[in-house]
Amino acid sequence: MYNIASPKGFSAAGAHVGIKKAKTDLTLIASEVPAAAAACFTKNIVKAAPVVYDERIIKNGGKVRGVVVNSGNANACTGERGMDDARAMASAFAGLLGAKPDEVFVCSTGVIGAPMPMEKLEAGIPRVFKMLGCSEAHGVSAVEGIMTTDTFMKTAGATVAVGGAEVKIAGMAKGSGMIHPDMATMLAFVTTDAAIAAPLLQKALFSGVERTFNMISVDGDTSTNDTILVLANGMANNPEICAEGPDYEAFAGALGKVCESLAVDVARDGEGATKLFEVRLSGAATEADARKIARAVTSSSLVKAAVFGADANMGRALCAMGYSGGEFDPDRVSMSFSSAAGSVDWMKMGNVVPFDEALAKKVLSEKEIYMDIDLAGGEFSAKAWGCDLTYDYVKINGDYRS
């Protein structure tokens, strides 16, 4: 099993420092040596202080030694004090690492608009620093420290041969609500011991994010804190990836698989969710059309409600496709849905076909559902993931601060 400290030269730990009442709420990730960094951030105009802080690090293109993450407080909508607090968090960890503040990323997640309890963090960071390690238990505590309403830990990893060396990639993510990313998602962290130039690391990350994190939706809300960070410290000793080619493709493919695993788990763990559904769209005229149309279906509250109720009201999916902004001919669309319980054809070449309602109910009652949509208009395809919209979603979010 992979954990965030599985790649060579990384360590991590998480602990409770008092931001939350009892749960683990602070995580540290460290690299023995300076690491190349890449990131994607929220496109929400309202950005949390840590996002603004981290964006500057990426813009300056420097190497990074670590990440400090807290849960329980988003440090968003907190003005200049929020920026001061983000800098103070980075400085506290950087001092322990023997690094500069701009060599440490800061991430926060939790309630928006509340000031950071800095006295707890300033006391907690040195304590968690002493706990750093690379065992499975260290990885578990690190994941626990970033979770909010998540119901399970989200981790993934891969090993890939690059230039004759074995390269490891490991990731962890948090996310359950306020999920409709337009960059990455919520908070996600990836470490790798690959040697790769920062511009190519950024290219590989952006490519992976576009096909995975940017193709999930729980509730249509894009967070103020959405961030995914990748650190590559080169300790696998592979020949540095400095240009596109077989080594780059192998690395980017493995990174993409890690991103997909994490993203699907986020969709699966949507607040109050009981079902995951995947839209597999083909036959689009352009890749952009494919992505827009597939994502519109998974984002539709009416489609989500139909999935929850196991109601084969797939006209809602066609409606969402129509307002997606993607181009297609409705008279050429074919659509079906399937699960472990079987498969149902719902539309062929623009015409709804007779189907067995009892079988449809059974198929849609499973925990994982697949919707296949063929536009018959081109060669491009896309996948998107979503979850059902349940009564519990409202309960959870009507009570979030209590």
Side-chain angles (χ1 to χ4, degrees):
M1 178 178 175
Y2 293 89
N3 72 76
I4 196 67
S6 292
K8 292 178 184 176
F10 286 97
S11 57
H16 175 248
V17 300
I19 303 171
K20 296 179 180 177
K21 291 179 181 178
K23 295 180 180 179
T24 306
D25 50 17
L26 179 67
T27 290
L28 301 180
I29 304 167
S31 174
E32 287 180 20
V33 298
C40 293
F41 301 101
T42 184
K43 292 182 181 176
N44 194 321
I45 293 174
V46 181
K47 290 178 169 64
V51 171
V52 177
Y53 185 87
D54 293 346
E55 283 179 330
R56 292 173 184 170
I57 294 176
I58 289 294
K59 184 178 180 181
N60 291 334
K63 297 269 185 154
V64 172
R65 286 290 311 281
V67 186
V68 54
V69 194
N70 76 274
S71 57
N73 187 310
N75 195 8
C77 304
T78 47
E80 191 54 41
R81 172 174 172 172
M83 289 303 303
D84 290 341
D85 290 344
R87 280 189 289 268
M89 289 173 65
S91 296
F93 190 24
L96 297 167
L97 290 168
K100 299 175 182 177
D102 61 1
E103 293 177 314
V104 170
F105 284 120
V106 181
C107 290
S108 300
T109 182
V111 175
I112 292 172
M116 294 291 284
M118 288 306 297
E119 69 287 348
K120 295 176 180 178
L121 285 162
E122 287 167 353
I125 289 171
R127 181 160 61 85
V128 179
F129 177 77
K130 294 176 182 178
M131 302 176 183
L132 287 172
C134 57
S135 70
E136 183 176 340
H138 288 99
V140 168
S141 69
V143 180
E144 289 174 343
I146 68 174
M147 294 167 65
T148 50
T149 57
D150 305 63
T151 64
F152 63 84
M153 294 184 291
K154 302 165 182 68
T155 61
T159 300
V160 60
V162 177
E166 182 181 88
V167 164
K168 287 185 178 180
I169 304 171
M172 65 180 189
K174 66 80 53 182
S176 188
M178 198 176 275
I179 309 295
H180 188 74
D182 195 9
M183 39 54 65
T185 182
M186 300 42 68
L187 296 182
F189 307 96
V190 178
T191 57
T192 177
D193 47 22
I196 180 171
L200 288 174
L201 183 63
Q202 185 67 52
K203 181 180 177 69
L205 175 62
F206 181 77
S207 176
V209 161
E210 282 291 279
R211 298 192 310 272
T212 61
F213 287 116
N214 277 359
M215 296 301 289
I216 63 174
S217 184
V218 169
D219 50 20
D221 278 291
T222 298
S223 170
T224 55
N225 292 59
D226 287 351
T227 300
I228 179 168
L229 304 173
V230 182
L231 303 183
N233 67 11
M235 291 187 69
N237 292 319
N238 62 287
E240 186 179 24
I241 303 171
C242 296
E244 293 187 47
D247 284 348
Y248 171 79
E249 293 301 328
F251 174 81
L255 177 61
K257 288 179 181 177
V258 170
C259 288
E260 180 173 322
S261 178
L262 294 173
V264 172
D265 272 352
V266 170
R268 189 191 311 277
D269 196 28
E271 287 177 340
T274 64
K275 302 173 187 177
L276 171 76
F277 69 98
E278 177 179 293
V279 171
R280 304 183 292 205
L281 186 136
S282 61
T286 69
E287 184 176 1
D289 285 340
R291 293 184 67 250
K292 286 178 184 177
I293 295 167
R295 197 180 189 209
V297 176
T298 58
S299 302
S300 165
S301 294
L302 289 176
V303 172
K304 290 173 177 292
V307 171
F308 172 59
D311 179 14
N313 191 352
M314 292 298 119
R316 293 175 173 179
L318 194 63
C319 177
M321 292 163 59
Y323 63 62
S324 68
E327 295 293 328
F328 69 98
D329 182 352
D331 292 331
R332 295 178 63 84
V333 173
S334 296
M335 190 183 307
S336 64
F337 52 93
S338 61
S339 71
S343 178
V344 173
D345 289 327
W346 187 81
M347 173 175 279
K348 290 187 177 179
M349 294 301 288
N351 292 298
V352 177
V353 296
F355 62 91
D356 184 332
E357 287 280 3
L359 174 60
K361 188 82 171 178
K362 197 183 233 183
V363 168
L364 292 172
S365 294
E366 293 290 321
K367 297 297 183 185
E368 294 188 8
I369 298 158
Y370 302 89
M371 297 181 185
D372 289 285
I373 302 170
D374 184 2
L375 303 181
E379 59 184 29
F380 293 91
S381 61
K383 287 183 181 179
W385 297 269
C387 60
D388 55 345
L389 183 60
T390 72
Y391 308 126
D392 282 343
Y393 177 84
V394 177
K395 292 179 183 177
I396 290 167
N397 283 284
D399 224 16
Y400 184 73
R401 295 195 305 158
S402 61

